[in-house]
Amino acid sequence: MHFVIMGCGRVGASLAEQLEDSGHSVAVVDQNPDAFRRLPADFGGRRVTALGFDRDALTQAGIEEAHAFAAVSNGDNSNIIAARVAREVFGVGNVVARIYDPRRAEVYSRLGIPTVATVRWTADQVLRRMMPMGAFSEYQDPSSAVSLVRCDVNPGWVGEEIERIESAARARVAYLTRHGKGRVPERRAVVQENDTVHLMVPTDRIGAVQRILERAPGPEAEED
């Protein structure tokens, strides 16, 4: 398959290298020719020096045959414009844009442009490393509105049903890791000692969910 990447920063260069190593053809577009030095010396893909949303540049990069397009430059506006051109002008079905402003990311996601809000994701990763306990975000949807989190739970939840955890936390248990193996539990299944609980949670409620589950179950463990 063929992929087009706008932006040859660390993210763009890493994507290009990984895709080419997987046997795909890749074209990278960047307005700064020096940026291509981040690519491996043996990179065999196309290098196009131009603005990433320029139609002629995208055509030169093979956008018409592209399976997917990623806009990962350091400019939110440029990324969104390029993503819209790739989708609306050239009909690329798989398009993603990196956005630094999470509020913009949510807006553009509702408009049908999948986005990755890097600020919110990075903040979550840093917080996890600062706090040994807490909810660790393992995945976020493109708008960063929903997260899959691994939560530390109070030992008092051992023996409690999944249904009670979901009711107390107002979140959905996606799966459990038990003895190193993932499993999707029934709602009447109970948490066992050393289980790891993974929940689907609205991103802005991660902290609230963790505060509930780090306390032993009881009326005081549930939100008002």
Side-chain angles (χ1 to χ4, degrees), residues 41-65:
D42 60 349
F43 178 71
R46 307 178 206 177
R47 300 170 175 85
V48 180
T49 303
L51 290 172
F53 49 81
D54 180 82
R55 298 185 186 186
D56 291 337
L58 290 173
T59 299
Q60 185 180 345
I63 194 69
E64 294 170 325
E65 61 191 79

Side-chain angles (χ1 to χ4, degrees), residues 135-139 147-151 197-201 206:
F136 172 59
S137 181
E138 300 175 301
Y139 168 81
S147 296
L148 173 65
V149 298
R150 184 179 70 218
C151 281
V197 181
H198 308 260
L199 300 99
M200 297 303 302
V201 181
I206 291 177

Side-chain angles (χ1 to χ4, degrees), residues 137-202:
S137 181
E138 300 175 301
Y139 168 81
Q140 288 185 342
D141 81 294
S143 71
S144 296
V146 179
S147 296
L148 173 65
V149 298
R150 184 179 70 218
C151 281
D152 295 311
V153 298
N154 187 287
W157 288 99
V158 172
E160 295 290 339
E161 294 182 349
I162 295 299
E163 186 174 26
R164 186 173 187 196
I165 289 180
E166 293 183 336
S167 176
R170 296 200 341 242
R172 182 67 54 84
V173 174
Y175 69 100
L176 301 176
T177 299
R178 181 173 294 168
H179 306 305
K181 184 177 180 180
R183 55 166 36 183
V184 179
E186 299 290 337
R187 298 191 70 201
R188 301 302 299 272
V190 299
V191 176
Q192 296 183 12
E193 188 175 3
N194 297 321
D195 278 355
T196 300
V197 181
H198 308 260
L199 300 99
M200 297 303 302
V201 181

Side-chain angles (χ1 to χ4, degrees), residues 1-84:
M1 293 182 288
H2 182 60
F3 294 84
V4 177
I5 299 169
M6 170 195 164
C8 197
R10 286 174 293 181
V11 173
S14 178
L15 285 172
E17 181 179 6
Q18 293 179 60
L19 287 168
E20 189 172 65
D21 287 347
S22 297
H24 302 293
S25 64
V26 184
V28 183
V29 183
D30 199 293
Q31 62 180 329
N32 180 7
D34 291 336
F36 297 121
R37 291 185 296 184
R38 294 188 177 93
L39 294 169
D42 60 349
F43 178 71
R46 307 178 206 177
R47 300 170 175 85
V48 180
T49 303
L51 290 172
F53 49 81
D54 180 82
R55 298 185 186 186
D56 291 337
L58 290 173
T59 299
Q60 185 180 345
I63 194 69
E64 294 170 325
E65 61 191 79
H67 172 73
F69 174 81
V72 291
S73 77
N74 60 4
D76 284 5
N77 291 336
S78 297
N79 288 343
I80 284 299
I81 292 172
R84 294 192 66 178

